[in-house]
Structures are given as C-alpha cells and as structure tokens.
Amino acid sequence: MHVSLRGITVDFGNLRAVDKVSLEANAGEIHAVVGENGAGKSTIMSVLYGSNTDFSGDILCNGKRVSWSSPRDAIKAGIGMVHQHFMLVGNLTVLENITLGNELINQFGFIKFNTIRANILNIISRYKIHIDLDELVDNLSVAQRQIVEIIKLLYRESMVLILDEPTAVLTPNEREIFFHSLRNFKAENKTIILITHKIDEVMDIADHVTVLRNGKLISSSHLNTTNKEKISQEIVGREIPRLNIKRGAYENKKILDVKDVIIKTNFNAKQAINFCIKKGEIIGIAGVSGNGQTELIETLIGIRRASDGEINLLDRNIINENTQTRRMMGISFVPQDRQRDGLALGASVWENACITKVNNKKFSWGSFLRKENMKAFSRSLIREFNIKVNGPDALVRTMSGGNMQKLVVARELSSQCPLIIIENPTWGIDIGSIAFIHQKIMDIKSAGVAILLVSNELDEITSLSDSAFVMYEGTLSKRISKGENFRELIGQHMLSGFNTYYSPTGISPDE
Amino acid sequence: MSKINKTKTAGIVIETLATFLSISLIIFFLLYLADANFSEAIRGFIKSSIGGRKNAYLFTTFSKMALITGMAIAALIAFRAGLFNIGGEGQLVVGGLVSAFVGLSVADFGLYGILLALASGMAAGAIWALLSGFLTIYMGVPLLVGSLLLNYPARYISSYLVSHPFRDVNSGLPQTFLLPKSVWLPYFQGTRLDVGIILIFLVYLFILVISQKTKYGYYSKCMGISFSFAKISGLPTKKIVFETLALSGAIAGLVGSIAVLGIHHRFTDGMLVQPLYAWTGIIAALMVNLNLWGIPLAGFFFAAISTGAAGMERIAQVPKEIATIIQAIIILFVVGKLGSLGSASISSGESDHD
C-alpha cells in the first residue's frame, strides 16, 4: 500500500513538534525515518497510526484521503505499528496475545482457537518464523516478544508496518534474523516504515531514507543517492566532532585487580574471572547482552555477593564490602538502565546530581543538607556537560533520554574516583550525545582514571578501549589487545565463544 | 493560550458544581429514605462539625483532627520512602495500650509521668513497626502483608489484656482503670481540647524539617522513587528502612498515647480501632498525594466530616448508618475530585518541593 503524509503539523501546546512534514512510502519498500531524540519521528508516526488526531495536514492511502479517529481505524485500513515498548500481556500465551482484540468466535460466543491456530501457523510457516504459540509471553526473550508483535500485525493483514526502534533491544545475531524477515515482508509487497537512529542499519536495509530534525523535514532521498556521512550530518545539523584520543598513555599502576572471582550466573560456568585495570586505561568488556555482564558488574559494585576470590581496589580487598563502602573507597558506576538505576525520575536535577556526594563537606553539615551548594554544583554540571534542562529544580522526568544519560554520566564522571565502571553508556541516545559522552570518557582517561567499559556495541568497544575481553556464557575470554584484528577477534568471540571458529555462513537467519 | 485557560477554568467550575449537585442529590435521597428533615440535617451537620455552644463542637473536631493528622503523617513518611506500612492501626493500639499501663503506674511523677507515658507509647509503636521491618528484611515477608497482619495481634492482645488481667471490673466494660488526673494531658483554658494537638503540630514541624532539610529526608525520598536507584547509588537502604519504620511507628504510637492521656483517660477495647483513625490517616495521606503541606487540611476535613455526621444523628435523628453512608459519600467525591486534580498536577506540584 502506498501511504503519503502531506504537510503534517503537530503542536504540543506552544511547541511545534512536527512542522509541515511530508513523507511518501511505497509498497515493497523499506522506508527509514531517522533523526535525533525529539526530532518528531514518533510523533509523525502516531499521526499515521491514528493515536494522534490533533494535527493539520493530510493522510493519503493509495492516493485517497483518509482520516482516523483512533488506531482502530488505521488498523482496519491495514496500518500496523510495533511500539518501542511492547504492548503484550505477559501472562497470556503467544497465541492469545496475537488474537487478543481480534478474536474469531463461533455462534456460541466461544473463541475458535483451532482456526486461529491454523491461521497463525500458516503465517509463521510462510515467513519461516520460529515461535512456540503456547509459551507464555513472560517466558520469552525480548527478541521473541518483538516477533510476537510482528506476527500480530501479519495476522491482522496489515499492509503497512511501522516499526519504532525495533533493533534497540536485539543482539547482532537477532538483528540479522530480524532483517531477513523484513526483506521477506518487502518481497510480499508490504510497506515498511522503520524508525531508527542507527545509521548503519539504514545503510544495511533501507531503500529510502527520510531525515527529520527539530520537527522539520531535512531530506528524503533514495539510499543510492546519499551516503552515511551525509545522513549523519543531516541528522545532527553540524559535523560530528571527531573523537580526540590519546592512546597508550596509561601508567603501570594497578587500580582494580580481580583475582579468581567466581560469579554466579545462569550459566554453569565455574571459571574464575581474572583481569586488572591500570591507571588511565580503558578495558572493554564486549559480548552479546545476557552473557553474564550484568552479574559481573553487580559483583564489582557490591550488589551481588561473589563466592570466592579477591577484588582489589588500590591494593585493598573489597570483596566483603557493600555498595556504599565501595563507592566511598573509589568506585563510581554508570548503569545501563538510567530510568531505573541511574536516576530517580520523580526527583529534581539537583537531587539526582548530588545523590552520591552527600557526605562531602561541601554538600552537608551534620545531618543537614547545604542545598545552595548542591544546586550550584548541579548548575556547573549542566553547563559543563551541555545538558538541556530548565535548571537544577526541573524534574528529571521532563528531560530527553540523551540529556538524562548526560546527567548520569556527569554525576559519575565528576566523582573523582580512581575507577569508573560504565555499562552501555550510549544505549538508546542520539548521535550528538554519543559523541559527547565518548569524548568525556576519553577525557577522564587522560586524567588518569581507570575505566571498565561494558558494552554491547562492538564499535564502542573498539573505538574506546585499550584492550578488551569478551564475555560469553558467564566466562571471560583471554585479553585481546588493540591491534590489527581487534574488531574481528572480538566479533568472533562474541558470537561463538572462544573455542569454535565463527563462520559467516554458520548462522542461518531461518533459525 | 488565554482562551484555553478560560475554557479550562469554566470546565473546572462546571465540574465542581456538578460534583456538588450530585453529592446533594444523593444526600437528599438518603435523608428522604431516612425520613429526616433535610435542612435540619444539614444544619446539624455543619453546626456540630464547626459550631456548638462556645465552639465546643469545633474543639471536638480539632481533637479528632489531631489524631487523624498524626496517623496521616505516620503513613506519609513511610509511603514517601516507598515503604507501604499499613500497620498504623497496630502501632496506634500498642502505643495507646502501653501508655495507659505506664500512666497508671506513674501517677506520682506529675509532668515527668506524662512524658514517660508518651515516650513509652512512642517506643511501643516504633517497636511494633520495626517488627514488620525485620520480617521484611530478614524473612522476606512483604511489608504490605507483614505490617497489615501485625494489626491483628496488637488488637487482640490489647483486647485480652483489658478484658481480663487489667480490667476495671466495676466499670462493666472491657477497659482499664481511669488514669489519675495527674497524668492527663492538660486542656486548653476553658475548653475540652487537650494539648495533644500541639504535640501533633510539633511532630508535623519536625517531619517538615527533616524531609526538606536533612540527608535522611533526601535519601528516603529517593529510595521511595526508585529502590534500585538508591541501592546502586550506595545509599544505606537497610538503615533508611528501619529509621523510617521506627519514625512512622513512633508517631502512630504517640497518637495512641494522646488518645489515652488526652481524650479517653483510659484504654477501652476497640476505642482506637473502631473510629478507623489509622485507615482514615492513610486515605488522608493519599488524598493529598503525599504532599506534606496538604496534610493538616486533609486531617481537618476528615475530622469535620465525622463529627458532622455524628451531629446529624443527634440533632436531626438521622440514623447512624445513614449518617455514616453520607460521610463515606462525601469522602468518595472529594477524594475522587482531588485525585483527578492531583494526577494532573503532579509534575508541576512536585517541583516546588524544596
């Protein structure tokens, strides 16, 4: 189905979220919509999907003007959307979720599960999808849940699939499988609109790319008439500063020395973990998420007890200390989940910026807080990290993802700890903020901080770290030093562990 | 923009009028059922909640307000730290019971006796609350369940003690002996209002200060927003849990002490449970969205509604049941109203928290 949006304008109060944007997507085309957070990507899609009806401009389907009063109308017309946060019911089965809201019933009002099952089986065999229809959604991985969402659309015979940041939650392997399915849909003449801010994906799979910035249409072009650099520049609106890296500058002093620590993971790995980080060194830990990185981090910061071994911070064994003591002794930590672990969303910026520093004489006097100093400090962080927010009293909830992350990074990097553990610092944020945060990490490296960078992004590991380990099923690989095959070696280990050699033909997207 | 504001204001006015009208209609219908005189009932309601000879009823309302406000504060400080202590009732009963016993045995110490009775009531409430904290932290019993279930032993232990070993048999009721006058909380000159309300006001000020100005207040607020954030930021979460529960229980215990030393001057079985002080306090705290500034007003509102309903019963011969239903309806409408306002204004209201 050919859809087109003409001159769409959406206002939120005084803020113009989308400003006269037009967009055309053809049948059998993968149309990528890219832009930073807050560029208006999701807003314009909510217009097409009928969940935002307060706009001006026209929606056309196959050349005919249409209007929806709710997503129900859009769904009926063949438009389906998978939201970034899935809309599934955890304690229902896959089958029940797929049919929910769209049940076939017989004359007695009972649901015709057998017919439904046959229909769904038909779909999943046609697209070579593998999923157990009787599994509870709660027991599925994130990638499988996404598949359920997509089957839902296929089951409703949607001809236009809108996918909001679909790969944010996928591992590289799962992403390949997912892209393979998208190509199948494309071959079936479906229209796919892909909202993303990963340019590499756009280059991989899209046919057409539309760039939005600050609610305005910047460009809309066929992929073969543009290139990666051009798109990045259009997204950010300026040139992205190149990372200023001083490499190999670390000193021969051990900050963190992990010896024979056995961490408890879901894998039966009993292999001891050993590694050390020197002053001014960045050690990367790569790996597909869910291979024990979380458990390793929790063990290091004291949320999880290690059963054995030593964790030496500046030559003192901290394995029996709690998080509070470890932080005081000099570990700071940027957690991946900023909304749950990194910030208190309902509190203000200053309350979030100072939480790890309250015992500092500058910020408290006995039991009492010195709020003025706390706010002044927050103001200085806002300035230094270029955080877009309405001052230290603003609620964190009102900030965008990138700015939230900057706030977490600002707090932890300003702690003057000798060791900082950073977990996926650029997860789900825009390119501008990514470049900024990477530069800040390099800056504290130069200042002599030891850094443990745990990331699922291979590029992040290879561009920032001095050497890296790969975590696979609860064990750590040998140390991989920065060198000729750095990237390839890490990639191999990530996908297939440390023994077997990975061959590109070894994964079948059909499985 | 101004047009939007105008329509918004008009909307609020219409909504308020509609609410008022529907409350009146329901009350009118109920009074019709009860065969009572409408205007007399309403007059009775208003007169006995804020009027009376020499404002006597107003003082009764104030005295109730002290208890409800106290329980609301106890609930609020636990809730804002993310601790769903709904065991206020047990803590209240234990506090009242212990101060009745202490009060009976320290008659000769004058003011010190009063202070001792108050302090022991607070300590008892705190210990009762800490018990649910231990169950949570060391046994894995969810606080919501543990604190609720501890209400029952408190209630029935007190019931047993005042019905059997410590009963004032001659009074004919399951209750302790009357406390000697020397340990009664003093009244305000010329009224039947005791100084308990001042104690509650001091507690209120204390809580205002610690929640806004101290590390404890800062930590417990953050822990209430996200426990995982508190843990990862290295806050002493266990300590905050115990401090908060002790504080919350102590305040509930103090309310029990005030009821015993200031109002009833003895512990009668059920006297702290039946008026639902603890539950009303929880509703009051939730009604104002855990905003400390709104607590006294909410306390006054609930106290006035309940004395008003009692007055309606007395003056207009409205049956007690109908009066109670009317009370519940007013509360439902007001809570619903404030609830919808509250959820809309959370974001703007929170920012002026400091």
Side-chain angles (χ1 to χ4, degrees), chain B residues 78-89:
Chain B
F79 289 2
R80 81 189 276 282
L83 301 172
F84 290 98
N85 170 23
I86 53 169
E89 187 170 281

Side-chain angles (χ1 to χ4, degrees), chain B residues 54-73:
Chain B
K54 285 201 204 158
N55 290 328
Y57 294 131
L58 182 63
F59 290 122
T60 312
T61 300
F62 276 144
S63 152
K64 255 202 182 135
M65 169 191 172
L67 305 188
I68 292 171
T69 307
M71 291 315 292
I73 297 171

Side-chain angles (χ1 to χ4, degrees), chain A residues 359-373:
Chain A
N359 288 321
N360 186 331
K361 283 264 173 323
K362 217 173 104 191
F363 298 130
S364 62
W365 181 78
S367 299
F368 289 90
L369 303 174
R370 303 176 72 171
K371 282 195 193 172
E372 280 320 307
N373 289 350

